[in-house]
Amino acid sequence: MSPSLSPDEWKQFLTAGLPADPGLAPLPCRDCGTLVAAGDGPVETVTATERERVLPVRTAAPVVRTEEIQPLQIELTQCSRCRVRNQAAAKLVDEYPSLARSLGDRWYATLAFEAMLIVPEVIGMDWRSIVKGGQKSVRAAMVHFRPLGGAARWSGLVTPIIRHNVVVPTRARWQHLSSSLVESFRVVYGDMLADLSDGPRLVPPPEGTEFRTALRGCLLCGVGAVSAMRKQAPFVWGPLRGADPGLLGGRRGPNDVYGYLCPMCTRAVASVGPGIGATGMEQALFTFLEVAPPTLPEDKVPEFGQTTVQLPRLQAWCALGSGTTPNVTPWAHVHGLGELAEGLRRATGGR
């Protein structure tokens, strides 16, 4: 049984595990960590079986070591605000049975819904807005909030391990949470809202990696941004690629250039082969113009089997040289693009 005494006595009890007689004094809320008057909420008992100790080291950061202790029972309760929130979470298990079943049994699903509703309350938002938002809101909140909410409970500091940085219960709610953790809650809450209002947005190519700086437009068509939903944004440009400007209408140089392909050029290149070469470049242009490449007559097919008409002097955007501004629209750097498209349509009979 745990005492509910002064903060100093709580600290001594939790860190040293000294026995004390229980009294009719406040108990800590298992979630927000505030002290609750005895009898004002349901009481549950948790057991700590280990304790963390900090070992100072002169030449390095302190070492935290976990040691076993005699099982120590700690009484917890729920404040009225956490109790109302948790009751609402329990009702959600019945309102969203398919989501609840995907989380596990009823007991675990209830804990998951409780954790979900903790996050908005920690940052000062009304958790009821999540419930009122309906199925889309609840499912989005579950994805974003459940891991953080579970880690926010004060009880996580005392069971099954008494943490070395345990914050004793106070009269203020959520005082055991660090400012950095609360800020991460705000970021995740913003991500959840962004998912709920997800719509098309212009996404520029990634900047590359720590080893390669990427060009700021599609390697082939040069477009500087593509439209994508928020969830697609991290993947819409695909992997970082290398290209030889000498194979794409530019001057040969000692090094490749690096960048990304927009989705349209990616599909075009994949249809003709894995690498980025002249054939893939032409196919990407044909795809954008929505025309099929003109086919040569059988008696004019060259020795190596090229059956389609080649486009002389076509250049990929990456072959134009460093410092070239990305295109607002695909292939805008190709002069006479409209006339080229019309000529190709005539040559293919409008295909």
Side-chain angles (χ1 to χ4, degrees):
M1 302 282 291
S2 65
S4 297
L5 307 171
S6 69
D8 287 342
E9 290 169 326
W10 263 106
K11 185 69 174 178
Q12 185 180 33
F13 172 71
L14 293 174
T15 56
L18 299 178
D21 294 329
L24 296 177
L27 294 175
C29 174
R30 71 163 196 188
D31 293 338
C32 69
T34 189
L35 289 171
V36 181
D40 282 358
V43 178
E44 61 180 286
T45 302
V46 297
T47 303
T49 56
E50 294 179 290
R51 173 177 56 199
E52 290 182 345
R53 283 199 179 277
V54 179
L55 305 178
V57 179
R58 289 185 179 181
T59 58
V63 176
V64 178
R65 180 170 296 172
T66 301
E67 61 184 17
E68 291 187 2
I69 60 173
Q70 289 293 325
L72 181 64
Q73 291 186 327
I74 302 172
E75 284 187 344
L76 304 174
T77 186
Q78 293 179 35
C79 70
S80 59
R81 292 175 63 178
C82 287
R83 192 158 64 248
V84 169
R85 188 193 62 246
N86 291 338
Q87 288 170 350
K91 292 180 180 178
L92 292 177
V93 175
D94 295 321
E95 293 180 24
Y96 297 95
S98 61
L99 176 58
R101 285 194 297 269
S102 70
L103 298 171
D105 60 27
R106 184 180 182 84
W107 174 81
Y108 188 81
T110 302
L111 287 180
F113 277 103
E114 289 177 3
M116 176 190 73
L117 296 182
I118 284 176
V119 172
E121 182 170 312
V122 167
I123 62 175
M125 305 300 292
D126 187 355
W127 58 264
R128 294 172 182 83
S129 62
I130 303 300
V131 179
K132 293 177 181 177
Q135 183 165 176
K136 183 177 180 181
S137 174
V138 170
R139 288 184 175 274
M142 183 62 72
V143 171
H144 288 283
F145 296 166
R146 180 164 61 111
L148 284 177
R153 292 188 177 100
W154 184 85
S155 58
L157 296 174
V158 296
T159 181
I161 302 173
I162 299 177
R163 305 296 177 181
H164 72 280
N165 57 347
V166 61
V167 177
V168 298
T170 66
R171 295 292 178 182
R173 308 179 78 238
W174 309 111
Q175 290 300 298
H176 61 286
L177 301 180
S178 67
S179 57
S180 60
L181 183 61
V182 174
E183 181 59 29
S184 70
F185 280 29
R186 293 193 179 97
V187 172
V188 171
Y189 189 84
D191 290 341
M192 190 275 293
L193 292 179
D195 276 353
L196 289 178
S197 59
D198 194 13
R201 65 201 67 202
L202 291 178
V203 181
E207 296 182 357
T209 67
E210 62 271 29
F211 305 108
R212 303 288 186 187
T213 300
L215 298 180
R216 304 312 302 147
C218 172
L219 290 172
L220 295 181
C221 73
V223 70
V226 296
S227 178
M229 305 294 280
R230 180 177 177 273
K231 292 181 179 180
Q232 299 170 336
F235 319 104
V236 68
W237 284 93
L240 184 68
R241 303 168 183 257
D244 182 355
L247 300 177
L248 301 172
R251 293 183 178 180
R252 288 189 176 275
N255 300 312
D256 287 350
V257 295
Y258 290 87
Y260 298 85
L261 294 180
C262 70
M264 183 179 293
C265 290
T266 296
R267 290 190 293 269
V269 169
S271 69
V272 297
I276 304 177
T279 302
M281 173 178 61
E282 291 169 352
Q283 183 60 44
L285 178 61
F286 293 142
T287 300
F288 171 68
L289 297 177
E290 297 182 340
V291 297
T295 303
L296 292 172
E298 291 185 5
D299 59 342
K300 293 186 178 180
V301 173
E303 180 180 353
F304 295 103
Q306 179 64 51
T307 61
T308 57
V309 174
Q310 302 298 290
L311 300 178
R313 297 182 296 278
L314 177 63
Q315 283 186 303
W317 177 81
C318 69
L320 301 180
S322 61
T324 303
T325 304
N327 295 328
V328 177
T329 58
W331 300 101
H333 62 280
V334 177
H335 299 294
L337 193 61
E339 292 81 358
L340 174 61
E342 184 60 30
L344 288 171
R345 290 189 181 96
R346 286 196 304 267
T348 57
R351 288 185 295 159

